[in-house]
Amino acid sequence: CKQEFVQKRNNAVLVDGVILNGPIMDSKAGEKFVEEACKIIMEEVIQKADDVTEKVCEWRAPETLKQILDLEMRDTGESHQKLLQLCRDVIQYSVKTSHPRFFNQLYAGIDYYSLVARFITEALNPSVYTYEVSPVFLLVEEAVIKKMIEFIGWEEGDGIFNPGGSVSNMYAMNLARYKFYPEIKEKGLSGLPRLVLFTSEECHYSMKKAASFLGIGTENVYFVKTDERGKMIPEELEKQVQRARKEGSAPFLVCATAGTTVLGAFDPLDKIADICEKHGLWFHVDVS
């Protein structure tokens, strides 16, 4: 195999030292490495996922862990055996989020079927932006969006998948601003009055971050008081909107929350929606 690989390399077309054709990697050795790495994943992660006798984490202090993993970037590569040992070390010293005794937020144990799907997407390395480069996954995305729209109760609609709540809230803020002032795309912030948005005291921190990133400013995020259960008080929202108008500002967005970070509170969406309709404000709900 090695001799055949070298022969193919010798027949390759080189331009400034760059191989334009022929293999640039020993595929057989690569396949063997994948096979052995998958075996480690199977034995050390998947088969131990529901074993309560295993530790949730083999904790080490940062400086100690740096020495164990040896993460220094070097000019030359490492042998397959060293890389396989690194795979074992990564698994050993990582937090086992699928462990039955792991009770952090955002986790729900191992899902074997989703895991296989992730293996496939990683192996295919798709970019889901056009049908030509990702026909299957584009149709999958379309089907999931359709089902999510049905859950909301709409007969039609559209949507996109985002990499988390922070970006989702920023997109929503950008949409609300565009609805208020479509010329923003061409003229920028210079033609806008002082924009003000409203959200509860228990909202996600990304609302202030989004206001900062979009140039609205964190001082223009007005926080509405909540009750003893962490729910936005509609009457207080009305007061804040009136306050902003008296200041000569331009209210444009209300962000409510369905499942706050600390208390899990659901804001009274219907009453807030009535206030938004009354004042012509974009209504966004940050749902967890």
Side-chain angles (χ1 to χ4, degrees):
C1 269
K2 188 172 183 180
Q3 185 176 0
E4 181 185 349
F5 173 70
V6 171
Q7 181 63 34
K8 288 181 179 178
R9 288 287 299 263
N10 290 338
N11 294 332
V13 176
L14 297 177
V15 176
D16 294 332
V18 178
I19 300 173
L20 298 185
N21 72 324
I24 59 173
M25 186 179 296
D26 187 344
S27 59
K28 293 298 180 182
E31 290 169 10
K32 182 65 174 176
F33 177 76
V34 172
E35 183 180 334
E36 294 181 10
C38 285
K39 184 180 179 182
I40 293 172
I41 295 170
M42 189 69 195
E43 293 173 351
E44 299 299 323
V45 180
I46 298 173
Q47 291 178 352
K48 294 181 179 179
D50 59 354
D51 189 348
V52 295
T53 66
E54 293 287 328
K55 289 185 177 182
V56 174
C57 180
E58 291 276 358
W59 181 257
R60 295 291 187 276
E63 292 305 319
T64 304
L65 192 55
K66 286 179 184 177
Q67 296 298 321
I68 293 172
L69 297 178
D70 184 19
L71 298 174
E72 182 183 347
M73 298 290 183
R74 297 182 175 87
D75 293 334
T76 56
E78 305 285 7
S79 68
H80 277 191
Q81 288 308 310
K82 187 164 184 179
L83 290 173
L84 289 170
Q85 183 58 49
L86 182 59
C87 291
R88 293 187 183 92
D89 292 340
V90 167
I91 293 169
Q92 180 178 353
Y93 297 108
S94 291
V95 177
K96 312 304 187 295
T97 61
S98 56
H99 194 286
R101 298 292 183 265
F102 180 71
F103 299 116
N104 204 316
Q105 68 271 28
L106 308 179
Y107 298 92
I110 191 169
D111 185 322
Y112 301 99
Y113 307 99
S114 295
L115 182 60
V116 170
R118 291 173 69 180
F119 287 162
I120 293 172
T121 55
E122 287 301 313
L124 290 173
N125 192 28
S127 292
V128 192
Y129 44 74
T130 63
Y131 184 81
E132 287 77 10
V133 297
S134 190
V136 174
F137 295 115
L138 192 141
L139 292 180
V140 169
E141 183 180 61
E142 191 179 64
V144 174
I145 290 175
K146 181 175 180 293
K147 179 56 67 174
M148 293 178 75
I149 289 169
E150 291 175 4
F151 281 142
I152 296 172
W154 295 343
E155 292 183 359
E156 60 180 357
D158 203 351
I160 56 174
F161 289 97
N162 302 327
S166 290
V167 171
S168 298
N169 283 332
M170 185 163 67
Y171 282 176
M173 196 176 294
N174 189 55
L175 281 169
R177 187 174 63 177
Y178 178 78
K179 178 68 163 56
F180 177 81
Y181 187 70
E183 292 86 353
I184 184 91
K185 288 182 68 175
E186 291 80 25
K187 297 182 179 180
L189 294 170
S190 60
L192 283 173
R194 178 182 173 228
L195 296 179
V196 171
L197 63 105
F198 310 91
T199 188
S200 87
E201 295 174 331
E202 298 290 327
C203 76
H204 194 257
Y205 68 88
S206 61
M207 293 306 296
K208 286 182 69 174
K209 184 167 69 172
S212 173
F213 282 2
L214 292 174
I216 292 169
T218 57
E219 290 184 359
N220 297 318
V221 180
Y222 284 18
F223 295 101
V224 181
K225 291 181 180 178
T226 57
D227 61 20
E228 69 280 358
R229 297 178 64 186
K231 299 160 67 174
M232 185 191 294
I233 302 172
E235 293 76 15
E236 293 296 326
L237 171 62
E238 178 69 36
K239 291 179 184 178
Q240 291 279 37
V241 175
Q242 297 291 353
R243 168 195 161 195
R245 293 211 186 279
K246 288 179 181 178
E247 293 172 346
S249 303
F252 75 106
L253 165 68
V254 175
C255 176
T257 311
T260 59
T261 305
V262 179
L263 296 175
F266 280 65
D267 290 333
L269 303 182
D270 285 340
K271 292 182 179 179
I272 295 172
D274 291 340
I275 295 173
C276 291
E277 188 173 18
K278 173 183 174 183
H279 293 283
L281 304 176
W282 181 283
F283 186 26
H284 171 62
V285 183
D286 178 15
V287 181
S288 175

